[in-house]
């Protein structure tokens, strides 16, 4: 079977690898390069912390477990780190954090309270402000270095025979016996199945094949899909886990660098007019980062590179995984939880394609749920603004 995968983000590459390992003929296409879209601008926290829908929670739990199994199989520099995560709450956030810890522990999700001294030993390299009133530890969570992860997956896929090419897909043909994609240069590639894993471009490409996958597409100032990340090159820290604090989220990056995220600043970010390195947004991010450093240098501001990300958000907030309809040969795959879910979706989607056997974990996420439904009835506000959100 020849499978054409459109989109070489973390989901597309994960499926490509699994299909190639299974011995299928795989062509992976991307308009720019592997991992250069949403995957390149993700906080990359592996978790099922605030996933109240039971089906979505189970799928994310399976994703976390699959990361550990996959890490034992992939070659290359380590890309998955089961570091645990800490959430620090001040008086304004402690009830919200407490309610979530209670909910998660009732579900059997590992979560417990820790003292500031315990948190400091777990976090490493940070000072805990005096305003923090409660701290929760989530030991099963972790993080991924997205560029390494995608490179390792792609290398393994290619080693098993997958082909990767740069090409912008401008049309998709979902025929009764064969499928095809047309590239911007006019080249037509044919196969037996298509996996549409194009992230935030999914709705537009799916529509060209007559398939409805409603996505959040507004990319204006402060829109739901807009997210700002800061990459702190200095000072270098011995940060050992993911941190969520009232004003700043942090995760380790390679080389002692740190990825920073301040959710409230997203409302002021316009992709058409990116914030400057010496502007108000950059200054606010630097001040919040400095406030968490144990020994800040008052004469030297942190060096932070800013990067705007555009998230992949299905309109109802949940993963889309499945064929467009019973007769379709186009498999649609898109998720806001791409990094957490990539390993499990890679395995399950490949199994559905190669065996035609539906996987139970994916039953609630079929694109057919959108058929005959008004968009206004399914859309939810997905602005991430509070402690522990993404």
């Amino acid at each position: 079977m020849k499978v054409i995968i459109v989109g070489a983000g973390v989901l597309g590459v994960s499926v490509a690898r699994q299909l190639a390992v299974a011995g299928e003929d795989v062509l992976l296409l991307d308009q720019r390069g592997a991992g250069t879209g949403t995957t390149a601008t993700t906080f990359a926290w592996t978790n099922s912390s605030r996933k109240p829908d039971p089906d979505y929670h189970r799928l994310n739990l399976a994703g976390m477990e699959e990361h550990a199994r996959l890490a034992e199989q992939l070659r290359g520099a380590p890309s998955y780190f089961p570091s645990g995560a800490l959430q620090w709450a001040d008086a304004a956030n402690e009830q919200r954090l407490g309610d979530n810890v209670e909910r998660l522990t009732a579900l059997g999700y590992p979560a417990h309270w820790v003292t500031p001294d315990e948190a400091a030993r777990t976090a490493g390299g940070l000072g805990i402000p005096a305003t923090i009133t409660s701290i929760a530890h989530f030991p099963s969570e972790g993080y991924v270095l997205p560029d390494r992860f995608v490179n390792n997956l792609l290398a393994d896929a290619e080693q098993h025979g997958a082909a990767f090419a740069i090409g912008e897909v401008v049309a998709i043909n979902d025929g009764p016996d064969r499928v095809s994609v047309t590239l911007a240069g006019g080249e037509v590639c044919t196969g037996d199945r298509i996996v549409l894993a194009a992230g935030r471009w999914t709705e537009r490409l799916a529509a060209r094949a007559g398939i409805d996958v409603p996505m959040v597409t507004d990319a204006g100032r402060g829109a739901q899909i807009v997210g700002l990340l800061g990459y702190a090159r200095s000072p270098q820290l011995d940060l050992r886990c993911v941190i969520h604090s009232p004003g700043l989220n942090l995760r380790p990056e390679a080389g002692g660098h740190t990825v920073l995220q301040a959710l409230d600043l997203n409302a002021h970010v316009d992709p058409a007019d990116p914030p400057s390195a010496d502007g108000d947004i950059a200054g606010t991010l630097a001040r919040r980062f400095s406030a968490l450093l144990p020994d800040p240098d008052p004469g030297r501001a942190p060096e932070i590179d800013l990067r705007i990300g555009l998230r992949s958000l299905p309109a109802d907030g949940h993963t889309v995984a499945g064929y467009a309809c019973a007769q379709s040969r186009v498999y649609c795959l898109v998720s806001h939880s791409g990094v957490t879910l990539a390993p499990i979706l890679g395995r399950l989607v490949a199994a559905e394609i190669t065996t035609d056997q539906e996987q139970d974990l994916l039953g609630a996420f079929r694109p057919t749920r959108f058929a005959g439904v008004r968009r206004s009835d399914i859309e939810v506000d997905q602005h991430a603004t509070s402690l522990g959100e993404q």
Side-chain angles (χ1 to χ4, degrees):
M1 179 189 301
K2 181 171 183 178
V3 184
I4 302 169
I5 300 174
V6 181
V10 67
L11 294 184
V13 177
S14 295
V15 175
R17 175 193 174 271
Q18 289 285 356
L19 287 170
V21 168
E24 305 299 338
D25 183 2
V26 177
L27 172 61
L28 177 63
L29 297 169
D30 195 274
Q31 61 182 331
R32 295 189 180 94
T36 58
T38 299
T39 301
T41 52
T42 172
F43 191 64
W45 165 41
T46 58
N47 75 96
S48 189
S49 180
R50 292 192 179 273
K51 310 291 192 327
D53 178 84
D55 293 316
Y56 198 35
H57 180 67
R58 283 193 293 270
L59 185 60
N60 278 267
L61 287 179
M64 296 164 68
E65 294 168 358
E66 194 74 16
H67 262 292
R69 288 191 285 268
L70 181 59
E72 297 178 355
Q73 303 170 21
L74 285 182
R75 299 178 181 178
S79 59
Y80 165 64
F81 300 86
S83 63
L86 291 167
Q87 292 189 23
W88 308 349
D90 55 14
N93 290 279
E94 62 182 5
Q95 183 65 52
R96 174 181 169 80
L97 178 57
D99 290 346
N100 200 43
V101 168
E102 182 178 359
R103 180 185 68 85
L104 290 172
T105 53
L107 294 171
Y109 190 87
H112 60 270
W113 299 106
V114 294
T115 67
D117 286 344
E118 290 170 329
R121 289 193 294 270
T122 300
L126 289 180
I128 301 175
T131 54
I132 298 302
T133 58
S134 57
I135 304 173
H137 183 219
F138 303 86
S140 65
E141 298 177 358
Y143 67 95
V144 166
L145 300 182
D147 53 348
R148 282 191 195 175
F149 188 47
V150 168
N151 289 339
N152 291 346
L153 287 168
L154 181 58
D156 203 43
E158 291 180 321
Q159 184 177 6
H160 284 88
F164 172 57
I166 301 297
E168 181 184 359
V169 174
V170 295
I172 295 173
N173 179 40
D174 186 7
D177 301 312
R178 300 279 284 175
V179 291
S180 65
V181 299
T182 302
L183 305 184
E187 181 183 357
V188 177
C189 305
T190 61
D192 301 290
R193 298 287 188 277
I194 291 172
V195 178
L196 181 55
R200 62 182 183 270
W201 295 277
T202 296
E203 180 175 356
R204 173 169 55 85
L205 287 174
R208 294 176 183 177
I211 300 167
D212 182 26
V213 182
M215 301 279 295
V216 181
T217 57
D218 175 22
R221 180 185 178 91
Q224 296 179 65
I225 70 170
V226 174
L228 180 72
L229 293 178
Y231 290 76
R233 292 177 282 115
S234 72
Q236 295 189 0
L237 300 182
D238 179 28
L239 185 62
R240 300 169 193 162
C241 71
V242 177
I243 305 291
H244 296 262
S245 75
L248 195 67
N249 300 332
L250 308 92
R251 76 155 168 86
E253 182 56 276
H257 298 174
T258 307
V259 178
L260 310 174
Q261 180 186 58
L263 296 175
D264 62 307
L265 298 184
N266 291 341
H268 309 290
V269 175
D270 184 353
D273 184 21
S276 64
D278 58 354
D280 291 342
I281 289 177
T284 299
L285 202 60
R287 286 191 297 275
R288 293 183 186 179
F289 185 39
S290 294
L292 300 182
L293 300 177
D295 298 302
D297 182 351
R300 184 178 180 186
E303 296 180 75
I304 302 173
D305 298 325
L306 301 180
R307 189 182 302 176
I308 296 175
L310 298 176
R311 302 184 295 166
S312 301
L313 296 182
D316 64 357
H318 290 158
T319 296
V320 176
Y323 289 104
C325 64
Q327 298 76 34
S328 178
R329 291 172 176 266
V330 176
Y331 195 107
C332 302
L333 182 63
V334 61
S335 178
H336 171 40
S337 303
V339 168
T340 296
L341 296 180
I344 190 65
L345 288 177
R347 179 167 66 81
L348 296 180
V349 171
E352 291 199 329
I353 290 172
T354 57
T355 68
D356 286 328
Q357 298 295 313
E358 293 193 354
Q359 303 297 303
D360 291 342
L361 277 173
L362 300 183
F365 303 105
R366 306 306 187 190
T368 49
R369 69 183 187 264
F370 301 121
V373 177
R374 291 183 303 177
R375 186 180 181 115
S376 59
D377 292 336
I378 61 168
E379 280 188 312
V380 295
D381 185 353
Q382 299 178 67
H383 281 98
T385 58
S386 301
L387 182 70
E389 292 185 340
Q390 279 295 299

